[in-house]
Amino acid sequence: MEIPTYDDVISAHARIAPHVHRTPILTSSFLDSLTGASLFFKCENFQKAGAFKARGASNAVFGLDEEKAAVGVATHSSGNHALSLSYAAGKRGIPVTVVMPKTAPEPKKAAVQGYGGRIIECEPSTSSREAVFAEVVAETGAEFVHPYNDPRVIAGQATCAKEIVEELGPLDAVIVPIGGGGMISGCCLTLSAIAPQTKIYAAEPKNANDAHRSLKAGHIIADDAPQTVADGLKVPLKELTWHFVSGHVEDILLSTEDEIVEAMRLIWQRMKIVVEPSSAVPLAAILKNKHNFAGKRVGVILTGGNVDLVKLPWMAA
Amino acid sequence: MEIPTYDDVISAHARIAPHVHRTPILTSSFLDSLTGASLFFKCENFQKAGAFKARGASNAVFGLDEEKAAVGVATHSSGNHALSLSYAAGKRGIPVTVVMPKTAPEPKKAAVQGYGGRIIECEPSTSSREAVFAEVVAETGAEFVHPYNDPRVIAGQATCAKEIVEELGPLDAVIVPIGGGGMISGCCLTLSAIAPQTKIYAAEPKNANDAHRSLKAGHIIADDAPQTVADGLKVPLKELTWHFVSGHVEDILLSTEDEIVEAMRLIWQRMKIVVEPSSAVPLAAILKNKHNFAGKRVGVILTGGNVDLVKLPWMAA
């Protein structure tokens, strides 16, 4: 297992700079007064392809040598990594195939195709996804860019925390949604190197609490097809992300579906920005665990903004 | 009739700076490629109280002498000016009464009350609104801050175009939604003084096209209760805004309800920001009149972001 280093993050940042946004950091006096903390929202919902995953995907794609690049890349993804890999491959002008669950939101499928990606559908479970994907790789010979269990991807995601520290100095805490663990691993990598005093919290849906149970148990626990509104967070940890999560994460805070939807709505209503449900899980956790954050300077990563605008979760009832 | 000058704008900018945001200007490579123009979106949806109207209201409220301030302020408004005046009065700690149509969106009513404003309801027509308001003023003696036909308010709104020019230099064109004409009058005031080469376009719903008909006719035409999804744009021009509009506006471009809703959805989907229907009318006009804007640097004022998130217009069907 190759563990990325902070030198890899510095290289990644230079490599991806022409292809991704240095996203803004927003604040909200209303949410500060509601939580008692000073919250700094890193807006990866404004990122290219609508999510932080453009960072890792761009680092992987633009780091390939010419020969490998010509054959193309492939991945499986619940959505945003598929978009991001398609975006990065399109930018470099190389072929890309993505295996996506049938149930992925329509706008994500359309956006993959808009960037020139080829979609192969699978069932909405980890097992089906991995089986279908093995066939795709055997057939195309494409370079596999895993959505998170890949050192190139983690080094790319780690540039997000690097920008936060560059802009704000060391914070008291950072809180990040956890699914497969790519973004939080990137935060662990960067913060342990340049801001080791910052506490790193993960936020996870109670309905997809495999990372929480993994941290308690001391080994990876994977669920096959958890159900949560935070559809970016259904996938399990893998060795590489487990390495970072088990080594650096202070705690994994859980939220119910209702708490996530309410936090999402608060962000839309008060900050006037579009975030997907996964992005709202950290605010839900802060609202539920104010004692951990009150009086602190807290970085909150809003991981993405790719939402099906005709299916908003507070309208379900 | 007192006409505000650019010196009033400079004073207003200094007066309101502690109370309002200097809002960011965003770009979208997708919308640029869709329109063929270089669009610069001034994000007044991120403004205090969720709309540009915080500028004019703050200028009026913080410009009052102590004696008048102590009696308080009052207004009638289709929504955002009500919020903004309540916000500004709350910040100064003075009483505020607002007459609002019964049909105003619930979040706007709740926000007025959240800022400490007192609401008196009227029927959703200009005539009812003005009649009920006359009673309120007679009863309270409060200082009337008209939503747009007020030199203090127009000087405040004019600070928005001032920030655009300071940040981007003179643009080829600026396009602004037109309802009562407060924001576009502010743009006329500022641009005629510091960037006279910039063409000023207004964007209006076809269903509430009184300003368009006024410009053609050469005098103010007012409709009593037009129906449009762009609920901030139902009110008619008045003398002071007519002065600016008739003197400086290049053209008033019309859009259908469907075009407005589609433009609003594009902004949400692609820019990941929450804007209200009124804010989308300029983009609808640009998409429909590409020949006027292609190859040009165009400022687009996103006037507000106060939306009832359970009633999104593309879900009506």
Side-chain angles (χ1 to χ4, degrees), chain A residues 16 30 41-42 52 88 109 125 142 164 174 182 194 200 203 232 247 266-267 277 282 300:
Chain A
I16 70 179
F30 177 84
F41 294 91
K42 178 68 169 167
F52 75 85
K109 291 182 192 167
S125 69
I164 295 174
V174 163
I194 64 171
I200 304 168
L266 264 176
I267 292 170
V300 181

Side-chain angles (χ1 to χ4, degrees), chain A residues 65-89:
Chain A
D65 64 32
E66 290 298 329
E67 199 178 342
K68 277 193 170 171
V71 182
V73 291
T75 198
H76 52 75
S77 159
S78 61
N80 282 335
H81 177 65
L83 255 72
S84 298
L85 194 67
S86 301
Y87 163 76

Side-chain angles (χ1 to χ4, degrees), chain A residues 45 272 274 305-306 309 314-315, chain B residues 272 274 305-306 309 314-315:
Chain A
N45 57 322
K272 312 299 184 189
V274 170
N306 292 321
L309 291 173
W314 49 78
M315 292 168 152
Chain B
K272 311 299 182 188
V274 170
N306 292 322
L309 290 174
W314 49 78
M315 292 167 154

Side-chain angles (χ1 to χ4, degrees), chain A residues 214-260:
Chain A
S214 300
L215 198 63
K216 297 276 176 202
H219 59 85
I220 298 176
I221 296 172
D223 295 328
D224 199 43
Q227 288 305 309
T228 170
V229 66
D231 63 340
L233 306 183
K234 293 176 178 179
V235 289
L237 296 170
K238 295 274 185 185
E239 319 76 75
L240 194 52
T241 52
W242 172 245
H243 166 82
F244 286 104
V245 170
S246 61
H248 298 284
V249 169
E250 188 78 13
D251 201 357
I252 299 183
L253 304 173
L254 300 178
S255 297
T256 65
E257 299 296 291
D258 284 353
E259 289 160 353
I260 295 166

Side-chain angles (χ1 to χ4, degrees), chain A residues 26 29 45-46 48 50 107 115 265 268-274 305-307 309-312 314-315, chain B residues 26 29 45-46 48 50 107 115 265 268-269 271-274 305-307 309-312 314-315:
Chain A
L26 299 183
S29 52
N45 57 322
F46 295 158
K48 286 288 178 188
Y115 291 130
R265 190 169 165 168
W268 287 46
Q269 191 82 57
R270 290 293 176 160
M271 298 185 67
K272 312 299 184 189
I273 58 176
V274 170
N306 292 321
V307 181
L309 291 173
V310 298
K311 277 195 205 166
L312 298 175
W314 49 78
M315 292 168 152
Chain B
L26 298 183
S29 52
N45 57 321
F46 296 158
K48 286 287 179 190
Y115 291 129
R265 189 167 165 170
W268 286 47
Q269 191 81 58
M271 298 185 67
K272 311 299 182 188
I273 58 176
V274 170
N306 292 322
V307 180
L309 290 174
V310 297
K311 275 195 206 167
L312 298 175
W314 49 78
M315 292 167 154

